């Protein structure tokens, strides 16, 4: 049962992820964004199968709920028509290939360190309290740093967009 | 006897599931839960449409529906038949697939949200650790449905309505979640049944220990109600529909059963968020006074739910619609700071829980209430004296 669910969600994630970047039926950015939502939902399903309910809920709440809606908002406001006409460029092909190769290398290295199917017991049990303990005790500094990083990004965006308007 | 009556539905389900072979039980149990939730709340939807039309009619000094059946009680049936038999029109330029999926994407997540709500003692479909988060996570799905409806219709008004709706829902989701966070902070759990359990018992044997009777709980409940009204797009926050400006927003190009599904989704969302408010602040299925604790828990829950629905109908009949800038100012400049201060007050309340001297409860109440009252008056003063806010001017209507 769990294996079946895993393959279902995994297939959904891969297929929808592919359709986000290379949809043969429509070049519409809105369609891409919606397939991204499906990908995120499938990933949340995978989290549930790992008994990480908190992560699954946050994944849906933050990514599918807030971030994707903002993406769609921007798409609606900007009316990205030229995106539909864009064709393949040599630079894009080479850059994309290099990026894929790098990620594949990274995954290969990660998989060699911990072989498939031998993950053993999860580090954090599904409980939200345990996750909070870990985040706010052991990993407090990285957690706060990520928060500051996001704030810097936000301030930067506001500064840039304020400059554009005279 | 009363014990059995209180657990009636739980025992009933256990008996029904027990009648089937063991292999089926794993599948049957959630199916029964889902069927019961859909049946009960769809029925409540039908009753509420009638109540709302009757109530609004009385508030506006008219009779309301009174033609179908005695006193018009069969009106929901007639409405349903009309919706089912109407032609389903899809604009030629519309994105057919998304246009078809939008109503489904509206109703499904809201029905999922009911899975974690405790309707009575032990009467919850799924009690899991991050129940509250799950509720908000699936609730976020409805924003996407509004976008899908507005965008796929290829209609300017639809798009405008969807943009308004999404902006409003995103803005008011922040105070909604933050006012719930105060409860999580004090109750120390994200699971809704244990939040209800944290409100069990009575002070001095008569005053229920509900969160609404604390300063942060009272402020939180009011903020939660306002944010919930906005989140479910009800008047006075019904700008996305705004009949007088953008006709019906994202609903323009929907007719027949799809339109009914949107309507159903809106009402189911209202019930769900009311039920959440009851669970968080009004003690869930707990009785308000100890000598009435023998009344079955689900009846208390139902009574509170009907009370909330009546409040929403009353609000709809009383308040005029806001303007977009007022809506945004109210969310970001008034509710967000107030709800953050409320969070601090809740933390103080939790931190001073160990105080044992005489009159400690009253001191804590006054302290928390004073902080909230000062913030409230400062914020409302700032809101009313903001630059650009003067006597109303009319460009065309003078």
């Amino acid at each position: 049962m769990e294996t079946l669910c895993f393959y279902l969600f995994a297939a959904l994630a891969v297929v929808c992820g592919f359709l986000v970047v290379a949809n043969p039926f429509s070049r519409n950015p809105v369609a891409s964004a919606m397939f991204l939502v499906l990908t995120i939902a499938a990933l949340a399903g995978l989290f549930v199968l790992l008994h990480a309910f908190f992560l699954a809920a946050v994944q849906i709440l933050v990514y599918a709920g807030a971030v994707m809606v903002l993406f769609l908002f921007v798409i609606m406001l900007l009316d990205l028509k030229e995106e539909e006409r864009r064709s393949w460029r040599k630079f894009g092909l080479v850059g994309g290939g290099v990026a894929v190769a790098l990620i594949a290398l990274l995954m290969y290295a990660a998989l060699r360190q911990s072989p498939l199917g031998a993950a053993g017991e999860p580090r954090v049990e599904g409980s939200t309290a345990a996750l909070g303990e870990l985040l706010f005790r052991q990993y407090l500094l990285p957690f706060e740093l990520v928060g500051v990083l996001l704030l810097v990004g936000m301030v930067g965006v506001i500064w840039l967009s304020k400059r554009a308007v005279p | 006897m009363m014990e059995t009556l209180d657990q009636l539905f739980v025992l009933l389900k256990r008996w029904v599931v027990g009648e089937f072979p063991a292999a089926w039980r794993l599948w049957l149990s959630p199916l029964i839960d889902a069927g019961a939730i859909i049946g009960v709340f769809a029925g409540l939807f039908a009753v509420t449409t009638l109540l709302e039309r009757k109530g609004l009619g009385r508030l506006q000094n008219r009779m309301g529906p009174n033609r179908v059946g005695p006193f018009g009680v069969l009106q929901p049936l007639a409405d349903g038949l009309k919706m089912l038999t109407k032609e389903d029109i899809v604009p030629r330029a519309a994105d057919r697939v998304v246009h078809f999926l939008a109503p489904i994407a509206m109703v499904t997540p809201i029905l999922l949200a009911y899975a974690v709500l405790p309707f009575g003692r032990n009467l919850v479909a799924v009690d899991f650790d991050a129940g509250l988060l799950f509720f908000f996570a699936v609730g976020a799905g409805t924003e996407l449905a509004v976008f899908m409806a507005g965008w796929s219709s290829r209609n300017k008004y639809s798009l405008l309505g969807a943009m308004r709706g999404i902006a409003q829902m995103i803005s008011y989701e922040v105070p909604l979640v933050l006012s719930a966070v105060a409860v999580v902070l004090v109750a120390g759990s994200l699971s809704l049944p244990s939040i209800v359990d944290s409100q069990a018992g009575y002070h001095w044997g008569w005053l229920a220990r509900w969160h609404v009777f604390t300063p942060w709980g009272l402020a939180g409940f009011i903020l939660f109600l306002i944010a919930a009204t906005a989140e479910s797009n009800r008047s006075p926050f019904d700008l996305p529909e705004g009949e007088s400006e953008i006709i019906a927003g994202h609903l323009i190009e929907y007719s027949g059963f799809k339109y009914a599904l949107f309507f159903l989704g809106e009402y189911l969302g209202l019930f769900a968020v009311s039920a959440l408010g009851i669970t968080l602040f009004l003690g869930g299925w707990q009785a308000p006074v100890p000598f009435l604790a023998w009344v079955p828990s689900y009846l208390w829950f139902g009574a509170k739910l009907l009370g909330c629905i009546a409040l929403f109908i009353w609000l709809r009949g009383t308040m005029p619609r806001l303007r977009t800038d007022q809506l945004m100012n109210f969310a970001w400049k008034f509710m967000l700071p107030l709800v953050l201060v409320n969070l601090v007050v809740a933390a103080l309340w939790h931190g001073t829980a160990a105080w044992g001297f005489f009159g400690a409860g009253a001191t804590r109440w006054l302290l928390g209430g004073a902080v909230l009252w000062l913030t409230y008056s400062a914020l409302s003063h700032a809101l009313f004296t903001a630059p650009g806010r003067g006597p109303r001017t009319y460009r065309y209507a003078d």
Side-chain angles (χ1 to χ4, degrees):
Chain A
M1 179 63 205
E2 262 187 37
T3 326
L4 187 75
C5 276
F6 169 76
Y7 282 113
L8 201 73
F9 283 126
L12 193 67
V14 171
V15 169
C16 292
F18 181 78
L19 288 176
V20 172
V21 285
N23 189 343
F25 307 109
S26 105
R27 302 291 302 272
N28 198 317
V30 172
S32 294
M34 286 192 199
F35 277 117
L36 191 52
V37 173
L38 271 183
T39 314
I40 288 165
L43 286 181
L46 289 178
F47 278 136
V48 169
L49 288 180
L50 291 172
H51 299 279
F53 297 114
F54 179 80
L55 271 183
V58 167
Q59 170 95 358
I60 296 280
L61 184 66
V62 174
Y63 287 99
V67 173
M68 281 321 297
V69 168
L70 285 179
F71 273 22
L72 291 171
F73 217 79
V74 170
I75 292 172
M76 264 199 291
L77 283 174
L78 294 185
D79 196 21
L80 300 170
K81 277 276 170 4
E82 65 272 22
E83 209 52 35
E84 294 178 26
R85 287 193 299 271
R86 217 170 64 176
S87 54
W88 297 91
R89 290 207 198 106
K90 210 173 270 174
F91 175 76
L93 276 178
V94 173
V98 169
V100 167
L102 279 177
I103 291 173
L105 196 68
L106 200 69
M107 280 180 70
Y108 175 70
L111 285 180
R112 261 186 50 157
Q113 277 207 338
S114 60
L116 285 172
E121 288 300 301
R123 183 88 59 85
V124 191
E125 268 303 310
S127 140
T128 316
L131 190 72
E133 284 277 324
L134 216 55
L135 262 187
F136 286 99
R137 287 191 203 281
Q138 198 175 342
Y139 298 108
L140 182 62
L141 185 68
F143 181 73
E144 296 291 337
L145 281 180
V146 168
V148 172
L149 195 68
L150 287 175
L151 185 70
V152 168
M154 214 161 73
V155 171
V157 165
I158 291 174
W159 188 74
L160 283 175
S161 54
K162 279 276 177 195
R163 285 247 302 200
V165 179
Chain B
M1 176 60 202
M2 284 336 276
E3 198 76 353
T4 319
L5 207 57
D6 188 42
Q7 296 295 302
L8 180 64
F9 296 111
V10 180
L11 294 174
L12 204 65
K13 185 189 143 195
R14 201 171 293 158
W15 174 72
V16 169
V17 171
E19 290 293 298
F20 283 88
W24 291 21
R25 285 181 197 164
L26 189 68
W27 292 96
L28 203 63
S29 166
L31 269 182
I32 291 176
D33 290 340
I37 287 172
I38 293 174
V40 168
F41 285 93
L44 187 62
F45 163 66
V47 174
T48 307
T49 50
L50 180 70
L51 275 181
E52 174 142 41
R53 291 180 64 181
K54 279 289 213 189
L56 279 182
R58 291 298 173 157
L59 283 169
Q60 294 161 358
N61 209 3
R62 54 188 173 84
M63 292 299 284
N66 62 356
R67 294 292 110 176
V68 194
F71 305 107
V73 288
L74 295 180
Q75 187 67 38
L77 212 64
D79 283 346
L81 274 178
K82 184 188 110 182
M83 286 295 186
L84 274 174
T85 50
K86 261 183 150 177
E87 188 189 353
D88 175 38
I89 300 169
V90 182
R92 195 186 298 157
D95 188 327
R96 287 186 152 269
V97 182
V98 183
H99 191 267
F100 174 75
L101 283 177
I104 301 170
M106 181 87 183
V107 176
T108 318
I110 293 173
L111 283 174
L112 278 177
Y114 282 91
V116 293
L117 290 170
F119 302 109
R121 193 175 282 122
N122 302 330
L123 201 62
V124 56
V126 192
D127 172 15
F128 86 91
D129 194 44
L132 187 68
L133 258 177
F134 176 82
F135 186 95
F136 287 127
V138 292
T142 56
E143 286 158 24
L144 217 60
V146 169
F147 168 80
M148 285 163 76
W151 179 79
S152 66
S153 300
R154 291 284 158 88
N155 180 321
K156 291 186 189 67
Y157 293 110
S158 278
L159 202 58
L160 277 175
M163 280 175 60
R164 275 188 185 191
I166 292 168
Q168 173 180 327
M169 285 161 107
I170 286 189
S171 307
Y172 281 87
E173 199 171 350
V174 179
L176 188 79
V177 174
L178 282 178
S179 59
V181 163
V183 177
V184 175
L185 193 133
V186 173
S189 172
L190 277 168
S191 144
L192 293 174
S194 50
I195 286 176
V196 174
D197 287 338
S198 77
Q199 303 177 63
Y202 301 90
H203 293 289
W204 314 296
W206 57 272
L207 181 65
R209 284 178 177 273
W210 298 354
H211 289 318
V212 76
F213 296 132
T214 57
W216 60 269
L218 185 61
F221 182 56
I222 296 171
L223 287 167
F224 185 91
L225 268 186
I226 298 174
T229 326
E231 195 73 358
S232 44
N233 290 343
R234 279 182 65 91
S235 175
F237 298 101
D238 58 346
L239 288 107
E241 282 160 42
E243 297 91 343
S244 52
E245 310 127 48
I246 49 173
I247 321 174
H250 57 279
L251 302 174
I252 298 178
E253 301 293 2
Y254 281 93
S255 55
F257 199 61
K258 287 181 192 161
Y259 179 77
L261 274 182
F262 271 108
F263 214 53
L264 177 73
E266 202 166 288
Y267 275 86
L268 285 183
L270 180 75
F271 303 153
V273 85
S274 307
L276 186 68
I278 290 166
T279 305
L280 291 179
F281 297 101
L282 296 183
W285 39 262
Q286 317 262 9
V289 275
F291 63 84
L292 282 178
W294 54 270
V295 176
S297 51
Y298 45 85
L299 287 186
W300 278 121
F301 190 87
K304 288 175 191 176
L305 189 59
L306 282 179
C308 273
I309 292 169
L311 183 74
F312 279 118
I313 293 174
W314 185 18
L315 271 179
R316 180 171 171 184
T318 317
M319 310 286 279
R321 186 181 297 139
L322 271 77
R323 234 171 33 218
T324 305
D325 57 326
Q326 292 169 337
L327 182 93
M328 287 294 149
N329 279 343
F330 189 66
W332 294 106
K333 295 183 183 167
F334 181 81
M335 286 187 74
L336 184 61
L338 193 57
V339 88
L340 287 174
V341 170
N342 192 35
L343 208 58
V344 175
V345 171
L348 282 178
W349 181 271
H350 193 54
T352 57
W355 283 5
F357 58 86
F358 181 73
T363 320
R364 287 162 74 200
W365 229 108
L366 286 177
L367 217 66
V371 172
L372 282 170
W373 180 258
L374 281 177
T375 320
Y376 165 75
S377 41
L379 284 174
S380 51
H381 181 77
L383 199 65
F384 277 99
T385 54
R389 203 197 141 86
R392 189 160 179 186
T393 52
Y394 296 91
R395 194 174 300 166
Y396 301 114
D398 248 341

